[in-house]
Amino acid sequence: MVRGGSSNGGRGSQSHYEIIVVEYSSSPYFLHNGDHPGLVLVSNPLIGANYHTWRRAMLMALTAKNKVGFVDGTIPRPNSNDLIFGAWNRCNSMISSWIINSVNRDIADSLLYLDSSCDIWRDLNDRFSQGNGPRIFQIKKQLSAINQGSLDVNSFFTKLKILWNELKEFQPVPLCHCGGLRIWIDYQHREYVLQFLMGLNDSYAQI
């Protein structure tokens, strides 16, 4: 990486280098005109129990903005004399603001004094990410108790699908090129259909 002081161009070269880095829209250091510290990236803020769905929504939003590298550590904090430090610092502050805007007030207050968006991301993961076992148990318990009730059919199916998709995140299907994988996927889909039908109200009993 190019560092300040190693070039004969001085501050002029530094400014030129930084402009080149931040003005390319494909660069992770690029900030769009619509990007500002008050931006809220997800519709449902983090309250604790919804961490896994919140994290997935945040990663989708950060990926769309080409900023995931700042939170997963692949774009680390450069030295203060690095030519890119200014651009990194601006992006880091912007992303930190976005994350803080996307959590509830109590959680937000505990994040204000962390130095980087990566530190914030890791802190939230350490606090709210559950081991697979407890969360799988919770999801399966919800699935065993869920029924249509006052929901229309589409809303009931959507509620089931959210739980199925989250469960798949914890129990991914292994890569396999044998015919057994297809059999397992077909079996799983049949289980989904049966679970959906069993949860419908009695008025659908003839289906």
Side-chain angles (χ1 to χ4, degrees), residues 29 34 47 55 76 82 101 106 125 135 139 150 186 192 195:
Y29 296 98
I47 58 175
R55 179 180 182 275
D82 197 301
N101 294 341
D106 291 337
N125 183 73
R135 185 54 186 156
I139 296 172
S150 60
D186 289 343
Y192 289 160
Q195 191 165 42

Side-chain angles (χ1 to χ4, degrees), residues 5 14 25 36 49-52 70 75 99 117-118 126 128 130 133 136 149 164-166 181 202:
Q14 179 172 341
S25 60
H36 59 86
N50 66 333
Y51 173 74
H52 292 282
F70 289 90
I75 303 178
I99 297 174
S117 57
C118 185
D126 290 343
F128 299 112
Q130 300 179 28
I136 290 172
W164 291 334
N165 287 341
E166 187 175 355
L181 180 60
D202 290 343

